[in-house]
Amino acid sequence: MPHHTFKCSECIPERTKHAVIKGTDEDLTSCLPLGYLNTIPGSISERGCAYCGAKHVIGQPMKDVIHISHGPIGCTYDTWQTKRYISDNNNFQLKYTYATDVREKHIVFGAEKLLKQNILEAFKAFPDIKRMTIYQTCATALIGDDINAIASEVMDELPDVDIFVCNSPGFAGPSQSGGHHKINIAWVNQKVGTVEPEITSDYVINYVGEYNIQGDQEVMQDYFNRMGIQILSTFTGNGSYDGLRAMHRAHLNVLECARSAEYICNELRVRYGIPRLDIDGFGFEPLSDSLRKIGLFFGIEDRAQAIIDEETAKWKPQLDWYKERLRGKKVCLWPGGSKLWHWAHVIQEEMGLNVVSLYTKFGHQGDMEKGIARCGEGALAIDDPNELEGLEALEMLKPDIILTGKRPGEVAKKVRVPYLNAHAYHNGPYKGYEGWVRFARDIYNAIYSPIFQLSALDISKDPIPTDQGFLTPQMISDPALPAEVRSSTVLTPYRGAYDTISALREKTYPRFDAVPVAQ
């Protein structure tokens, strides 16, 4: 297993152990880069902090909640609206951000009075919202403000409100993953079991580790509804505060993003005996296997298979249209924790792309283990790269596209590598059968963009072609394809609607009779 040393990091020898190139027939114990460690001094990380992991990733997707940060205003601004956590209540949680705006005088004299004033003002400004989460930041943690005491005071004064306190300052872990753990455990300690839900189905799940990026949760919810399964709560995308207080009454925890939410699943199993089942909503085969597993757990495999057959027949020819045109294209898979391994194998198998590199900013060894196991020989795996290492990797690998976040993505565009936003998506949702085709379409459009082709010209010295006329992506992608592929009447590009979510919100579902229990 060769470690990889970036030239730009030769002055930081500790970085050598954070990048490896996957060799032939290696076992995973010998080809894992070090992960989830404190950032090495001198290496300018692009990580988020533990506060960001708690508020931005986990807490803020709750839809009927005032999310307030007790600290400087920059903390809450940095975690506002950079992910498209939509909801079916007109996106309340995206429209506003709240902070106590702690300043120097509050650091000296304390900010508890300021916090209480801000809480009362927020509830007065939004009288229909009766739920709040308060997130601690580094500044107020260091001066010792007792947020829990202030929250209790307000709840005594306003009996119809409920407040959740998340003590996860930025320094609470080496990255945002530390904040995931903090808010998971805090929620199960403070709120789970404090509301009794209405059970409407024989099959009841918590959908955990799902954040409804551009409607992902609502796509999966459609499949569950078609199977007659009740989603008691979603932790936390498009989820309601009180629904999440009732997580203890589910029959099964269905876990999507293990990196952000396995902690609460494990606690619910220990405290309430609720089993955990890990699933994958990305890709035709992983999603089909996941629906089958859930159907098998409840004894309703036939309902799952009916959905699989219907969706596959409708969308697979469109996916294959893109696979023929993306085959062999090189991709750097540089997303967050779980997409590292959710996507590593399936974009190769179902879209024909070749994963030449993967990295994670905040992932643990388990994320790298699964990601490296699923990608091909020769792939470069990097833990917590800095900007210079990312640029050096792009120069070495020369990928056709990278799938990453906005910050490294915008840097990649400057060196003429197109990117898709793996965190907030470009034109999602990307989960589900149709969503996976949308993802393939966006990759295709990025790689074969005529405008992107023109960007290679240096207008100061390159001749400008005047004989090409109007150019489309298909005119770039198709010339080398076999004639039978180009003229196929079965394989077609994506034919779905621009907005796929509105129709799901208006959909009605049949009620299923209970399956008799064998005696």
Side-chain angles (χ1 to χ4, degrees):
M1 169 212 53
H3 283 105
H4 179 75
T5 301
F6 289 97
K7 292 181 181 178
C8 63
S9 295
E10 288 177 350
C11 58
I12 314 173
E14 297 93 336
R15 283 296 300 161
T16 299
K17 296 183 179 180
H18 289 262
V20 302
I21 297 175
K22 183 176 180 180
T24 305
D25 298 327
E26 286 184 332
D27 66 276
L28 292 174
T29 59
S30 64
C31 63
L32 285 178
L34 296 179
Y36 195 61
L37 300 174
N38 290 328
T39 298
I40 298 167
S43 180
I44 308 301
S45 174
E46 295 181 357
R47 283 173 167 173
C49 66
Y51 154 82
C52 174
K55 176 180 182 284
H56 180 48
V57 178
I58 309 293
Q60 192 159 274
M62 280 190 279
K63 64 185 178 181
D64 53 353
V65 181
I66 294 170
H67 298 278
I68 188 168
S69 298
H70 186 37
I73 199 166
C75 294
T76 197
Y77 185 79
D78 183 61
T79 55
W80 180 41
Q81 280 200 339
T82 55
K83 282 192 179 180
R84 300 169 189 174
Y85 294 136
I86 68 173
S87 62
D88 57 12
N89 68 335
N90 202 24
N91 301 325
F92 174 81
Q93 79 288 358
L94 288 180
K95 291 181 178 179
Y96 309 97
T97 191
Y98 314 82
T100 51
D101 192 17
V102 168
R103 304 193 180 190
E104 288 88 345
K105 64 179 180 180
H106 304 114
I107 300 300
V108 176
F109 298 108
E112 291 180 357
K113 291 182 180 179
L114 177 70
L115 173 60
K116 184 173 181 180
Q117 174 189 340
N118 275 259
I119 294 171
L120 296 174
E121 287 179 357
F123 279 127
K124 184 177 180 181
F126 297 95
D128 294 334
I129 303 298
K130 302 297 183 182
R131 303 292 180 256
M132 175 181 287
T133 59
I134 304 175
Y135 303 91
Q136 191 180 54
T137 62
C138 293
T140 53
L142 289 170
I143 64 175
D145 276 358
D146 192 341
I147 299 177
N148 296 75
I150 300 300
S152 295
E153 281 185 27
V154 173
M155 286 190 284
D156 287 341
E157 295 175 17
L158 304 174
D160 59 340
V161 308
D162 198 87
I163 300 174
F164 166 64
V165 176
C166 180
N167 290 300
S168 179
F171 55 74
S175 73
Q176 60 263 47
S177 188
H180 300 166
H181 180 266
K182 290 283 187 182
I183 193 171
N184 275 235
I185 301 305
W187 186 265
V188 77
N189 283 340
Q190 295 180 38
K191 297 303 174 185
V192 171
T194 59
V195 162
E196 288 300 323
E198 179 186 0
I199 303 298
T200 61
S201 171
D202 295 308
Y203 319 109
V204 184
I205 67 170
N206 294 317
Y207 188 21
V208 183
E210 166 52 55
Y211 306 104
N212 204 33
I213 300 173
Q214 285 197 290
D216 275 351
Q217 185 265 357
E218 295 172 79
V219 170
M220 298 296 290
Q221 180 176 262
D222 173 62
Y223 301 145
F224 297 143
N225 287 341
R226 287 157 67 180
M227 292 171 67
I229 295 172
Q230 177 187 358
I231 300 180
L232 191 61
S233 64
T234 300
F235 190 88
T236 54
N238 202 36
S240 69
Y241 185 100
D242 285 350
L244 286 158
R245 295 166 74 186
M247 296 180 79
H248 60 299
R249 293 304 183 197
H251 304 148
L252 176 68
N253 287 318
V254 172
L255 177 62
E256 182 83 44
C257 178
R259 175 45 48 229
S260 66
E262 66 178 348
Y263 315 103
I264 197 167
C265 280
N266 293 342
E267 286 298 314
L268 290 169
R269 180 173 56 194
V270 170
R271 301 185 192 196
Y272 298 101
I274 306 172
R276 160 186 163 181
L277 187 131
D278 292 22
I279 69 162
D280 189 343
F282 296 107
F284 280 48
E285 281 305 311
L287 174 55
S288 296
D289 289 343
S290 297
L291 294 179
R292 289 189 190 101
K293 286 195 296 184
I294 297 170
L296 182 63
F297 180 88
F298 288 121
I300 50 174
E301 302 97 314
D302 57 329
R303 299 180 190 177
Q305 193 60 49
I307 294 171
I308 294 166
D309 293 343
E310 177 184 346
E311 297 291 325
T312 301
K314 183 176 182 180
W315 298 112
K316 187 64 163 60
Q318 297 180 39
L319 179 66
D320 288 342
W321 189 92
Y322 292 103
K323 182 177 182 179
E324 293 292 341
R325 290 155 177 83
L326 295 175
R327 197 184 304 276
K329 294 296 182 182
K330 295 190 294 183
V331 57
C332 286
L333 184 53
W334 292 354
S338 69
K339 292 188 181 73
L340 173 77
W341 41 270
H342 274 315
W343 291 355
H345 61 310
V346 73
I347 59 175
Q348 293 186 120
E349 294 167 1
E350 297 189 354
M351 296 184 192
L353 295 159
N354 178 25
V355 177
V356 296
S357 177
L358 47 82
Y359 83 17
T360 177
K361 293 290 185 187
F362 58 88
H364 297 230
Q365 297 299 93
D367 298 302
M368 274 294 185
E369 182 176 341
K370 287 181 277 190
I372 292 173
R374 295 175 175 185
C375 68
E377 180 182 321
L380 172 62
I382 321 167
D383 166 72
D384 188 26
N386 56 51
E387 183 176 307
L388 292 178
E389 289 176 344
L391 285 169
E392 190 174 317
L394 294 177
E395 175 63 27
M396 178 180 74
L397 299 168
K398 295 180 170 46
D400 296 288
I401 191 170
I402 72 170
L403 310 177
T404 188
K406 190 169 181 60
R407 281 177 293 181
E410 293 299 324
V411 172
K413 286 201 298 188
K414 295 179 180 179
V415 293
R416 295 202 63 257
V417 179
Y419 95 98
L420 284 188
N421 194 327
H423 299 164
Y425 305 164
H426 270 68
N427 301 288
Y430 288 162
K431 277 183 183 167
Y433 297 92
E434 180 179 3
W436 198 241
V437 180
R438 292 171 73 98
F439 189 26
R441 176 205 58 188
D442 283 0
I443 295 173
Y444 170 86
N445 287 343
I447 291 175
Y448 291 111
S449 165
I451 298 297
F452 184 74
Q453 308 297 318
L454 288 173
S455 72
L457 293 174
D458 183 345
I459 61 173
S460 68
K461 61 182 181 180
D462 294 336
I464 307 300
T466 59
D467 58 344
Q468 291 185 356
F470 184 75
L471 195 64
T472 68
Q474 201 164 336
M475 291 169 66
I476 302 170
S477 67
D478 283 15
L481 293 176
E484 61 271 19
V485 173
R486 293 198 307 268
S487 60
S488 173
T489 58
V490 176
L491 307 184
T492 63
Y494 178 63
R495 293 181 173 178
Y498 172 75
D499 175 12
T500 62
I501 300 303
S502 295
L504 292 180
R505 292 175 180 173
E506 298 171 359
K507 199 170 176 181
T508 58
Y509 297 91
R511 291 186 65 88
F512 291 91
D513 294 330
V515 175
V517 178
Q519 298 297 321

